[in-house]
C-alpha cells in the first residue's frame, strides 16, 4: 500500500518514496536533557514514535535516529549550580527521559546520538563550510567564533518560506554587530573560562551552536540525504531551515526529501510552556494517571492539528482505553464455537483494509481508531452467543496491526484496567476512597458471605464499599469486577 505523507517542503501530501525501500532513513530532533520533560515535549516524542511504528507495521525497515542535546547553556548552568560536571547532569536526565519514553509506550530509536559524542563530525562539517565559503570566523572572547553566512546559501527559506530580505528588516539586529547579516547563526563559539565543558578545535577551545549537531548526526548515522525528518512546528524556523543550509552547503546534495512537523499541544488554550508556569512533567502525569492515558490523549487528534487539552481529556481517554482493553481480554479469552454469517467476516476484512488506508493517509490515527471502534462494537454484538474461529482470527489480525502501528493497545490488559481504575479514583478526587487492598479484602469477604447466605454481613460490606466510592459489577457467571464511581 502506498503511504502518503504531508511534506512541509512542498506543503502537499505526496507518495512516500524512500531512497532505499529496504531501510528508511528517519531523523527526529530530540530533547535537551537539563530537567524532566514536560507534557508539551511528549507530543513530539510520541508522534515520532508513531511514524516509526506505522512504517514498521507497513513492513519497512526503519533506521530511526533521535538525538539528545547534552551540550547546552542550560545544562552548563544547572550543572554549575549543582556543583557537578555537565556530563553527569545531562546523563542523569537522559536516563529519566528514557524512563518517560518507556512509560509512554515508545519503541527505542535505532540510534540515540549525543552531541558530546559527535564532536569530530561537527568540527569536520564546520571546517567544510568555512572551506566552501558558507561560514566565516570572527574574533570573540579571546578565541574565534564561527558563523554561518546565510545570504551565501541561495535556497535559504525553502522550508519555512521565510524571505531573507524581510528578515533583514523584520528582526532585531544583533547589538554586538559582529554578524555580517542578522540571520547568520553560530556554528562554533569560544568557551568561557568557567564553563566546565569544552572541546579543542581549529578555532580554539569551544563548543558548537545548537543547529549544527543535527546536520552532523544525520550525516554520521544516516548519510548525506535522508528520507524523513521530524520535529515540532516550532522547529521549522530557524532550526530546520538552518539544518538544510548547513547540510546542503557542506554535502552538496539535497538533505531531506520529506519534512514532517507536529502541531502544538495547547493546555487550556494557552501554549504549554515552562515560562507560563503551568509545569506538568511527563513523570508527574504518568505517576498520577498513566503513560497509556497520556499516549492516548496525544494521539487522539491528527498530528498536524492543534491538540486542545480540555477538562474531560483524561476521562474521555480512560473510557476509550477501557473499551479497547475489555475487548482485548474478551478476544483472547475462550469462545463458544458457532457458525456466523459470512458477511460478518467480510466486513472485518474490509475494516482491516480501511484501517490500513487511514494510517497510510498521512498517519491518520483518529481515522483508524474510528474504524477500529466500529470493529469492537460489532465484535461485542456477535461474540455474546459464541463465535467462528475465522472471525476471531480476522479481528486478531487487526489488533496485531494496530498494536504495532499505534501503540494504543497494550500487553497485559488487566494491568491497564487496574491503572485506569486508579486514575479514575484520582480524577474523582474521592478523599475517603479506600486502598485497593481493603477493597479486594472486602470483596472476597462479600463473596463468602453471599455463598453462605449471610445477608446481614453482605449488606454491611456493600455499605462500606459505597462509602469507599466503589461500584461492584456482578457477572452472570458469578465473577465480579469493580471500579471507582
Ligand atoms: Zn534538530
Amino acid at each position: 500500500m502506498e503511504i502518503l505523507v504531508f511534506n512541509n517542503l512542498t506543503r502537499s501530501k505526496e507518495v512516500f518514496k524512500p531512497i532505499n525501500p529496504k531501510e528508511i532513513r528517519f531523523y527526529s530532533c530530540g530533547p535537551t536533557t537539563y530537567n524532566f520533560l514536560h507534557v508539551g515535549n511528549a507530543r513530539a516524542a510520541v508522534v515520532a514514535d508513531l511514524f516509526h511504528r506505522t512504517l514498521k507495521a507497513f513492513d519497512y525497515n526503519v533506521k530511526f535516529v533521535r538525538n539528545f542535546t547534552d551540550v547546552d547553556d542550560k545544562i552548563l548552568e544547572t550543572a554549575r549550580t549543582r556543583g557537578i560536571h555537565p556530563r553527569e547532569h545531562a546523563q542523569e536526565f537522559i536516563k529519566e527521559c528514557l524512563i518517560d519514553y518507556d512509560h509512554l509506550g515508545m519503541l527505542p530509536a535505532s540510534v540515540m546520538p549525543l552531541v558530546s559524542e559527535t564532536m569530530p563530525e561537527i568540527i569536520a562539517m564546520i571546517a567544510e563550510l568555512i572551506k566552501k565559503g558558507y561560514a566565516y570566523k570572527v574574533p570573540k572572547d579571546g578565541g574565534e567564533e564561527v558563523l554561518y553566512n546565510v545570504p551565501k546559501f541561495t535556497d535559504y527559506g525553502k522550508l519555512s518560506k521565510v524571505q531573507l530580505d524581510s528578515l533583514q528588516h523584520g528582526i532585531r539586529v544583533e547589538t554586538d554587530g559582529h554578524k555580517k547579516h542578522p540571520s547568520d547563526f553560530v556554528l562554533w563559539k569560544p568557551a568561557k573560562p568557567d564553563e566546565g565543558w569544552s572541546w579543542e578545535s581549529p578555532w580554539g577551545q569551544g563548543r558548537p551552536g545548537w543547529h549544527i549537531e543535527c546536520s552532523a548526526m544525520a550525516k554520521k548515522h544516516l548519510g548525506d540525504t535522508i528520507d524523513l525528518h521530524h520535529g515540532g512546528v516550532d522547529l521549522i524556523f530557524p532550526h530546520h531551515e538552518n539544518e538544510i543550509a548547513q547540510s546542503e552547503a557542506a554535502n552538496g546534495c539535497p538533505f531531506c526529501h520529506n519534512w514532517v512537523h507536529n502541531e502544538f499541544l495547547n493546555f487550556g488554550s494557552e501554549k504549554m510552556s515552562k515560562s507560563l508556569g503551568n509545569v506538568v512533567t511527563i513523570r508527574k502525569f504518568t505517576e498520577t494517571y498513566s503513560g497509556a492515558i497520556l499516549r492516548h490523549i496525544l494521539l487522539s487528534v491528527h498530528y498536524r492539528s492543534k491538540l486542545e487539552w480540555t477538562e474531560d481529556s483524561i476521562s474521555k481517554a480512560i473510557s476509550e482505553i477501557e473499551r479497547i482493553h475489555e475487548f482485548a481480554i474478551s478476544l483472547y479469552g475462550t469462545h463458544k464455537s458457532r457458525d456466523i454469517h459470512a458477511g460478518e467476516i467480510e466486513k472485518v476484512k474490509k475494516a482491516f483494509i480501511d484501517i490500513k488506508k487511514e494510517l497510510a493517509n498521512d498517519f491518520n490515527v483518529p481515522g483508524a481508531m474510528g474504524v477500529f471502534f466500529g470493529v469492537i462494537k460489532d465484535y461485542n454484538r456477535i461474540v455474546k452467543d459464541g463465535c467462528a474461529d475465522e472471525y476471531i482470527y480476522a479481528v486478531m489480525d487487526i489488533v496485531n496491526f494496530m498494536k504495532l502501528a499505534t501503540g494504543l493497545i497494550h500487553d497485559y490488559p488487566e494491568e491497564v484496567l487496574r491503572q485506569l481504575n486508579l486514575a479514575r479514583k484520582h480524577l474523582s478526587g474521592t478523599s475517603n476512597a479506600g486502598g485497593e487492598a481493603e477493597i479486594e479484602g472486602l470483596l472476597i469477604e462479600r463473596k463468602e458471605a453471599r455463598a453462605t447466605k449471610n445477608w446481614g454481613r453482605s449488606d454491611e460490606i456493600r455499605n462500606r464499599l459505597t462509602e469507599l466510592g466503589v461500584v461492584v459489577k456482578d457477572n452472570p457467571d458469578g465473577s465480579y469486577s469493580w471500579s471507582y464511581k
Side-chain angles (χ1 to χ4, degrees):
M1 193 179 280
E2 279 184 341
I3 295 182
L4 297 171
V5 175
F6 188 91
N7 183 3
N8 254 328
L9 207 52
T10 56
R11 300 283 197 270
S12 63
K13 230 184 246 184
E14 295 170 0
V15 176
F16 183 65
K17 290 192 191 114
I19 303 157
N20 172 7
K22 293 209 172 80
E23 188 171 81
I24 290 174
R25 304 166 197 183
F26 172 31
Y27 187 93
S28 176
C29 295
T32 303
T33 51
Y34 72 101
N35 204 339
F36 282 99
L37 299 182
H38 61 111
V39 172
N41 302 123
R43 191 171 190 203
V46 166
V47 165
D49 182 61
L50 170 71
F51 298 155
H52 183 204
R53 281 172 168 276
T54 303
L55 292 168
K56 276 169 95 83
F58 280 104
D59 289 330
Y60 283 111
N61 284 320
V62 186
K63 188 168 183 190
F64 171 31
V65 178
R66 185 186 48 232
N67 68 308
F68 285 115
T69 301
D70 64 341
V71 179
D72 170 85
D73 285 344
K74 286 191 223 98
I75 293 171
L76 296 178
E77 263 169 48
T78 327
R80 191 166 40 239
T81 53
R82 292 180 71 192
I84 59 172
H85 193 277
R87 181 193 284 111
E88 199 186 324
H89 180 75
Q91 281 293 337
E92 188 180 320
F93 284 100
I94 287 169
K95 281 199 196 99
E96 299 294 0
C97 179
L98 289 171
I99 293 171
D100 287 341
Y101 284 177
D102 193 45
H103 288 163
L104 288 169
M106 289 165 54
L107 296 181
S110 320
V111 192
M112 294 182 283
L114 307 180
V115 182
S116 60
E117 292 172 357
T118 317
M119 229 33 96
E121 291 81 6
I122 289 173
I123 290 168
M125 192 176 256
I126 296 172
E128 184 69 11
L129 289 170
I130 295 172
K131 198 176 96 190
K132 290 184 170 168
Y134 287 97
Y136 58 93
K137 299 173 274 186
V138 288
K140 195 178 179 190
D141 297 337
E144 277 183 313
E145 184 171 72
V146 185
L147 290 151
Y148 191 96
N149 182 5
V150 171
K152 164 93 177 166
F153 185 69
T154 49
D155 268 349
Y156 196 82
K158 70 174 170 182
L159 174 68
S160 59
K161 320 298 177 207
V162 159
Q163 300 282 326
L164 205 52
D165 294 345
S166 70
L167 287 175
Q168 184 106 48
H169 308 289
I171 65 168
R172 197 158 51 89
V173 176
E174 288 285 310
T175 44
D176 51 3
H178 62 293
K179 291 182 179 183
K180 290 183 186 170
H181 185 280
S183 292
D184 293 353
F185 55 92
V186 175
L187 297 170
W188 189 265
K189 51 183 154 192
K192 294 186 186 110
D194 58 344
E195 266 181 346
W197 208 10
S198 60
W199 287 263
E200 187 51 44
S201 82
W203 320 288
Q205 200 72 18
R207 59 192 169 91
W210 172 37
H211 311 295
I212 192 72
E213 68 184 61
C214 291
S215 287
M217 287 171 181
K219 183 182 169 77
K220 180 177 179 182
H221 300 286
L222 297 170
D224 289 355
T225 305
I226 68 173
D227 296 303
L228 191 64
H229 196 309
H230 160 259
V233 285
D234 52 329
L235 296 187
I236 296 174
F237 185 82
H239 183 55
H240 288 165
E241 198 66 64
N242 291 352
E243 280 189 37
I244 293 173
Q246 294 162 157
S247 294
E248 299 199 347
N251 302 332
C253 61
F255 175 39
C256 174
H257 291 153
N258 297 277
W259 285 87
V260 283
H261 298 94
N262 63 276
E263 259 294 348
F264 283 126
L265 164 60
N266 289 330
F267 195 74
S269 301
E270 232 176 318
K271 192 193 145 197
M272 265 190 80
S273 144
K274 291 205 163 181
S275 59
L276 293 177
N278 51 10
V279 182
V280 180
T281 60
I282 296 174
R283 185 62 52 85
K284 188 137 192 273
F285 189 94
T286 56
E287 281 174 356
T288 311
Y289 298 103
S290 77
I293 294 174
L294 184 51
R295 182 178 185 95
H296 197 92
I297 294 170
L298 294 169
L299 293 179
S300 63
V301 300
H302 190 267
Y303 75 92
R304 282 192 291 117
S305 300
K306 283 201 177 74
L307 170 54
E308 300 291 342
W309 193 287
T310 61
E311 262 179 44
D312 58 359
S313 291
I314 296 175
S315 57
K316 189 164 172 279
I318 290 174
S319 49
E320 288 187 0
I321 300 168
E322 193 170 55
R323 199 149 31 118
I324 294 167
H325 292 85
E326 281 175 350
F327 150 78
I329 290 171
S330 164
L331 182 67
Y332 291 94
T334 49
H335 302 275
K336 194 171 75 183
S337 189
R338 70 160 173 126
D339 288 335
I340 61 164
H341 196 276
E344 298 288 2
I345 294 164
E346 287 315 305
K347 199 177 167 193
V348 171
K349 288 183 175 168
K350 177 165 183 312
F352 193 11
I353 295 167
D354 289 344
I355 283 172
K356 284 182 170 170
K357 276 186 191 159
E358 292 291 354
L359 287 170
N361 181 11
D362 198 25
F363 312 95
N364 186 3
V365 178
M369 287 304 276
V371 181
F372 185 56
F373 278 119
V375 171
I376 294 178
K377 200 174 157 204
D378 287 342
Y379 169 89
N380 289 337
R381 171 176 53 78
I382 291 166
V383 87
K384 277 200 301 262
D385 308 311
C387 207
D389 287 350
E390 196 188 349
Y391 178 84
I392 297 289
Y393 293 141
V395 177
M396 283 178 178
D397 284 345
I398 296 180
V399 169
N400 289 335
F401 184 83
M402 284 291 278
K403 204 171 181 176
L404 175 58
T406 67
L408 292 173
I409 307 169
H410 305 274
D411 292 327
Y412 312 111
E414 289 88 355
E415 173 58 20
V416 173
L417 294 182
R418 197 188 66 82
Q419 285 173 2
L420 294 179
N421 219 356
L422 293 174
R424 206 172 250 142
K425 172 182 165 186
H426 199 89
L427 204 59
S428 70
T430 321
S431 56
N432 62 345
E436 276 181 278
E438 184 188 357
I439 292 161
E440 294 289 356
L442 284 167
L443 286 166
I444 291 165
E445 220 193 307
R446 173 178 167 273
K447 199 176 174 185
E448 284 163 5
R450 285 162 68 118
T452 56
K453 299 193 168 34
N454 183 352
W455 306 120
R457 180 61 189 146
S458 174
D459 285 348
E460 276 170 31
I461 294 168
R462 191 190 59 210
N463 293 342
R464 175 64 187 145
L465 288 168
T466 309
E467 274 170 32
L468 293 170
V470 170
V471 186
V472 184
K473 197 172 117 195
D474 286 300
N475 302 319
D477 64 356
S479 66
Y480 59 83
S481 59
W482 66 274
S483 63
Y484 288 103
K485 268 187 276 216

